[in-house]
Amino acid sequence: MAVEYEALRAGEDQDPQDGVPTATQDVDVRSRPGSNRWLGVLRSPLGWCAATLLLIVLLLAVCAPLLWSGRAEAIDTGEILQGSSGRHWLGTDNLGRDIFFRLLVATRLSVALALLATVLGVATGLVLGVAPAILGRRAGRMVTSVVNVAVAFPGLLLALFFAVVFGVGAKGAVLAIGFAMAPGFARLTQTLVASVSERDYVQAARVAGIGRVRILTRHVLPNVSDPLIVNATISAGGALLAFSGLSFLGLGVQAPSYDWGRLLGEGLNGIYTHPAAALAPGVAVVIAGLAFNLTGEAVAKAVGVPTPPRSRATHPAEPRVAAPATAVAPVADDADAPGREPVLSVEALRVSFPGSRGPVTAVRGVGFHVGEGEAVGVVGESGSGKSLTALAVSRLVEHPGEVAADRVDFLGTSLLPEQAHGAATRRLLGTSLAMVFQDPMTSFNPTMRIGRQLAESAEQHLGTGRRQALSRAVERLRQVRISAAERRSAQYPHEFSGGMRQRAMIALALMGRPRLIVADEPTTALDVTVQRQVLRLLDRVCAADGVALLLISHDIHVVAQTCDRVLVMYAGRIVEELPSDRLFTAAQHPYTRALIATVPHMETQLDRPLTVIPGRPVTPDRIPAGCAFAARCAFAQQRCRTDDPQLETAEPGHRVACWYPQTDIAARSVDEQPSDSVGGKVGPVGEEADSIAEEGERP
C-alpha cells in the first residue's frame, strides 16, 4: 500500500515547515498577543472613554455612600423645594434634602441592582440556552419552544408582567428584569452552541465517548464565550435603564430607599419650576448606561479574532531529529490480535433526513466490508454520500438524521442503534475506531492546547492519569514525525501549519488502540508535497500493526495508489467495486471511466480544454427512476431510465451496477495513455468522455 507520486518520487518525507521557522514559529511562544490587544484597545478613543466613564461610575458606587450619606439624608424644613444654588447645586426635595448628594449616593443602589439583574438574566439564559444540548431530544425541543415564545414578547412587557408576578419592590424588580432578559440571551446561546456543536472536534469528542456535560464545558462553551461576554456587558446598560424605568413607575425601589429612577419620579412633578431635579437623574442613567455600552463595544473589539502578529523576533528552531524512515513505533501494541473476520461489515446502509415531501434518503443501501490491514478507498463527486456513509458507520449522524441497516458490525459488535449498548459501544468506538477529518483547523478545539486535546481521549478510555496521558500525547506527536513534540504539545492549533495540523489529527487518531482509521478527505487544502507526506504517514501507520483504512477522497488517482480496493459512489449508492490495481484497466461503469478521464496528469496538453462530466449530480430529494446516472451517460438506453441496476459480480473481486457495462473496450492506465487521451481525443476513456460530453450538449 505504498504511496508514490511519480513527480515527487525522490522527495524526502518531511514537513518542509518543520525545520524552518514559519509565520507561526517566528512568534515567541512566551509573547502575549492577547495582552497587547487589550492594551491597544485601551489606548484607542473608544477604550479610554469607556474605561474612564466606567471607572467614574464604579468609584461613585463604592465611595459616594461612605462620603455623603449623612448630607443626602439630612432633612431641612427651611429649605424645602429650593432651586439650584451655590449651596444646593441641584436644589432640594420636598423634605429639604440635597438632591445632588442623593443623586451621588443613589449610584450604588442603581448600579448594584442593575448588575444583579444582569447576572440573573445571563445565568438563566445560559441554562436555557445549553439545555437542548444536555437534555434529551424531547425535553430540549420543549425548552426551545418556550424560549421562542418568550422572545416573541417585547422585553418591557415581560418585565412588567414579571414585576406584577413577583410583587412591588427592589427584589421583585430584580427578578422581573433578570427573567425578562433571559429569553434573548438564551436564544443567542442556543444559536452559538448549535453552530459549534457541528464542528469536527466536537464530533471527535463524541467518538471518544466524552459525556454531554463535559463536551459542553470543555469544547463548546469556551468557543462561544467571547460573544456571550460581550452581550452580557452590553446588557448591563439595558438592565440599568429598565430598572430605572420600573422605579420611575413605582414598581421598583420603595421608600425610604432610593435609586435614580425613584429620584426621577420625585423630581418630575416640579420639572417646570425646578427642571434640574428631574433632568439630573435622567442624565445619570444615560451616562452610566453609556459607560456599560461603550465597555461592551471595547470588549467586543478586544476579544475579536486576532490577526497573527508579524514579529521579526527569531528564536533558534530546535534541531530536527529525523525519525527513522524504515519503521514506525507500534500503535496498538497491547491490542488483541484480530481474527479472520472483517474489521467492518456493512449491509444495506440507509441514511435519511426529513423533507417537505417525505423522507429524503441520502445513502441508499450501501454495503461493503473492510478486512484487517486492508485499505479501502471511496471516491465520487461531491454529494455522492461518501462522508455521510463514514459518519453513519461511526454513529455520528445527529438528529433529525435516521440511520438504518441490515447489518453494521465493527469487530464483531453491532453498531445498530437498537442493538448497541451505550457505554460499551462508546468505549469500542473511542479506542478502536479513529476518525481523521478533512479540515484540521476546525477539527481541533481552538481554545485548548494540542497536547491537552490528545490526552483527553486517553484519559477517557484508557484509564490513564493526566500526566501519563500527556506523555502518551507527546509520544504520538513524535510518532507522526512532528519535531520538538513536547514543545508543540503546549501550543494551540493556530500555531501549527496545515500539514502539521493534519499530522496532529493522525496522532489524535492513534491515541487509543485503533483497528480501523476512517480518513475523510485527509489531504484537503494541502499542497501536493504535504499530501504525499500525509498519505505516506497513514500508509506506514496502518502497515505497522495491520490497521485497516477507509480513505474517502475526490482524487481517484490518490485512492488508486493508496488503497487495495476502490468503491465508486454515485447518488448514495456504490456503482462499482474493484481492486485498485485494475481501476484504470478494467473499470466497466461509465461513471468510473468518466471520473478517470476528468483528472489531468503530467502529460495533459495545456492548450486543450479539460474533460468534464456533463450535467449535474442528482440531489437526494430528486432521485430519478432507473439508473441515477442515466441522464449523464452516453450509453444509456430505455431500460436504464426505468429499471434501477443492482450491484452484481462481474468477475471475482469486481462488482458493477450497470445494465450495459463497458467490457468490450478496456480503459488504459493514465500513465500509458498518449498526451491527447485526457483531452478526450485519443484512447478509450477519452473517446467515452467525448461521447458523454457530446450527449450532454444535445438539446
Side-chain angles (χ1 to χ4, degrees):
M1 195 177 65
V3 180
E4 292 293 342
Y5 287 101
E6 295 297 333
L8 299 171
R9 185 171 294 172
E12 292 295 330
D13 185 24
Q14 63 179 8
D15 193 330
Q17 298 175 352
D18 283 350
V20 181
T22 63
T24 56
Q25 292 171 327
D26 287 344
V27 181
D28 188 351
V29 296
R30 296 169 296 179
S31 62
R32 299 177 180 267
S35 302
N36 296 334
R37 193 165 66 250
W38 280 98
L39 186 59
V41 172
L42 188 61
R43 290 176 177 175
S44 66
L46 173 65
W48 65 257
C49 185
T52 301
L53 287 178
L54 186 63
L55 183 61
I56 292 174
V57 170
L58 295 180
L59 283 177
L60 285 177
V62 174
C63 300
L66 302 176
L67 298 176
W68 302 302
S69 289
R71 300 184 66 176
E73 299 294 338
I75 299 175
D76 187 355
T77 56
E79 298 286 343
I80 294 176
L81 298 177
Q82 295 296 313
S84 301
S85 63
R87 184 177 179 183
H88 304 289
W89 290 2
L90 298 179
T92 59
D93 61 4
N94 54 3
L95 293 178
R97 295 171 295 193
D98 191 290
I99 295 177
F100 175 72
F101 289 111
R102 289 175 65 80
L103 184 70
L104 297 179
V105 172
T107 304
R108 172 181 290 184
L109 188 59
S110 301
V111 172
L113 293 178
L115 292 178
L116 186 60
T118 302
V119 171
L120 177 62
V122 168
T124 305
L126 192 62
V127 171
L128 294 176
V130 302
I134 297 180
L135 303 177
R137 184 183 309 170
R138 185 173 302 176
R141 188 180 303 172
M142 185 178 301
V143 172
T144 302
S145 300
V146 172
V147 171
N148 292 339
V149 172
V151 169
F153 289 92
L156 181 59
L157 184 61
L158 281 178
L160 292 175
F161 170 76
F162 286 124
V164 174
V165 171
F166 295 116
V168 175
K171 180 180 178 181
V174 168
L175 295 175
I177 295 173
F179 289 142
M181 184 190 303
F185 200 83
R187 168 63 68 83
L188 174 65
T189 305
Q190 287 178 358
T191 303
L192 294 174
V193 169
S195 64
V196 174
S197 296
E198 300 302 321
R199 299 289 178 87
D200 290 342
Y201 56 82
V202 179
Q203 302 281 23
R206 292 196 182 102
V207 172
I210 301 175
R212 293 181 180 178
V213 176
R214 187 176 179 86
I215 289 178
L216 186 68
T217 56
R218 293 293 301 275
H219 297 281
V220 177
L221 288 182
N223 288 290
V224 301
S225 59
D226 290 353
L228 294 181
I229 292 173
V230 171
N231 189 269
T233 307
I234 296 177
S235 297
L240 178 65
L241 180 61
F243 210 102
S244 299
L246 289 182
S247 295
F248 174 79
L249 296 175
L251 300 176
V253 175
Q254 303 296 310
S257 300
Y258 55 93
D259 66 343
W260 288 334
R262 184 169 179 82
L263 293 178
L264 179 61
E266 293 175 352
L268 190 63
N269 294 330
I271 189 172
Y272 295 108
T273 56
H274 305 294
L279 294 178
V283 172
V285 172
V286 171
I287 292 176
L290 185 63
F292 286 118
N293 288 339
L294 290 179
T295 301
E297 294 293 336
V299 171
K301 189 175 181 181
V303 301
V305 179
T307 303
R310 298 182 178 179
S311 174
R312 292 182 297 177
T314 58
H315 296 268
E318 297 187 21
R320 176 185 174 91
V321 180
T326 57
V328 177
V331 179
D333 49 349
D334 47 355
D336 296 333
R340 297 182 179 273
E341 293 294 323
V343 175
L344 176 67
S345 298
V346 179
E347 294 180 6
L349 177 67
R350 301 173 297 279
V351 182
S352 58
F353 297 88
S356 57
R357 294 178 295 179
V360 176
T361 304
V363 176
R364 308 180 298 141
V366 168
F368 63 94
H369 69 277
V370 182
E372 176 194 356
E374 184 182 25
V376 177
V378 184
V379 297
E381 294 174 292
S382 297
S384 59
K386 308 184 302 297
S387 297
L388 194 56
T389 299
L391 293 177
V393 168
S394 306
R395 300 190 65 183
L396 289 178
V397 176
E398 295 287 336
H399 177 78
E402 294 185 0
V403 179
D406 292 348
R407 179 187 181 192
V408 179
D409 288 351
F410 177 59
L411 295 178
T413 301
S414 175
L415 299 182
L416 295 177
E418 61 272 11
Q419 300 178 12
H421 301 285
T425 302
R426 285 197 302 269
R427 181 175 179 84
L428 175 67
L429 293 176
T431 56
S432 301
L433 189 147
M435 290 279 298
V436 179
F437 295 99
Q438 60 180 301
D439 188 353
M441 192 60 212
T442 61
S443 301
F444 281 111
N445 188 334
T447 64
M448 294 178 63
R449 302 179 190 274
I450 290 290
R452 182 70 247 146
Q453 297 188 57
L454 269 63
E456 189 174 40
S457 177
E459 292 177 13
Q460 289 290 319
H461 295 296
L462 302 181
T464 59
R466 184 183 181 91
R467 182 173 299 178
Q468 216 174 356
L470 284 173
S471 176
R472 186 181 180 91
V474 173
E475 177 189 345
R476 290 300 181 256
L477 290 175
R478 289 197 186 100
Q479 181 177 338
V480 297
R481 309 188 74 171
I482 291 181
S483 62
E486 188 169 358
R487 177 172 63 86
R488 290 292 189 182
S489 66
Q491 293 181 337
Y492 291 94
H494 72 272
E495 299 179 83
F496 278 46
S497 66
M500 292 175 65
R501 280 196 297 266
Q502 197 59 278
R503 291 181 179 215
M505 273 298 300
I506 298 175
L508 177 62
L510 301 179
M511 285 300 295
R513 304 182 181 100
R515 302 281 289 279
L516 172 65
I517 296 178
V518 180
D520 185 4
E521 298 283 358
T523 57
T524 298
L526 300 178
D527 62 72
V528 65
T529 305
V530 181
Q531 285 185 28
R532 176 176 178 267
Q533 296 159 7
V534 170
L535 291 172
R536 291 190 66 182
L537 177 61
L538 280 172
D539 183 17
R540 288 198 306 271
V541 165
C542 293
D545 278 301
V547 179
L549 174 67
L550 183 64
L551 176 64
I552 299 171
S553 178
H554 285 90
D555 195 330
I556 195 169
H557 292 286
V558 166
V559 170
Q561 296 177 25
T562 306
C563 300
D564 303 315
R565 283 188 296 119
V566 179
L567 308 177
V568 183
M569 290 192 66
Y570 184 78
R573 281 190 176 179
I574 296 175
V575 296
E576 189 163 12
E577 175 186 359
L578 73 166
S580 60
D581 57 359
R582 303 185 59 197
L583 177 62
F584 299 118
T585 59
Q588 297 182 11
H589 199 286
Y591 177 63
T592 307
R593 294 190 169 197
L595 286 178
I596 296 172
T598 56
V599 181
H601 61 96
M602 299 299 293
E603 297 181 357
T604 300
Q605 291 188 359
L606 301 180
D607 58 345
R608 303 185 66 111
L610 296 176
T611 303
V612 297
I613 305 177
R616 294 178 178 272
V618 297
T619 56
D621 58 335
R622 295 183 179 180
I623 300 294
C627 177
F629 188 64
R632 309 172 70 189
C633 180
F635 308 100
Q637 300 184 25
Q638 183 59 32
R639 184 183 184 185
C640 300
R641 296 178 173 87
T642 57
D643 299 336
D644 192 6
Q646 300 300 314
L647 197 62
E648 301 289 346
T649 300
E651 52 186 295
H654 189 175
R655 298 189 299 167
V656 60
C658 182
W659 292 121
Y660 305 102
Q662 303 302 300
T663 58
D664 53 339
I665 303 176
R668 291 187 295 175
S669 172
V670 171
D671 294 332
E672 299 172 357
Q673 291 176 8
S675 59
D676 289 337
S677 62
V678 176
K681 297 303 180 185
V682 178
V685 175
E687 293 170 357
E688 293 170 11
D690 268 350
S691 62
I692 293 175
E694 292 172 0
E695 182 74 17
E697 292 173 355
R698 296 172 187 170

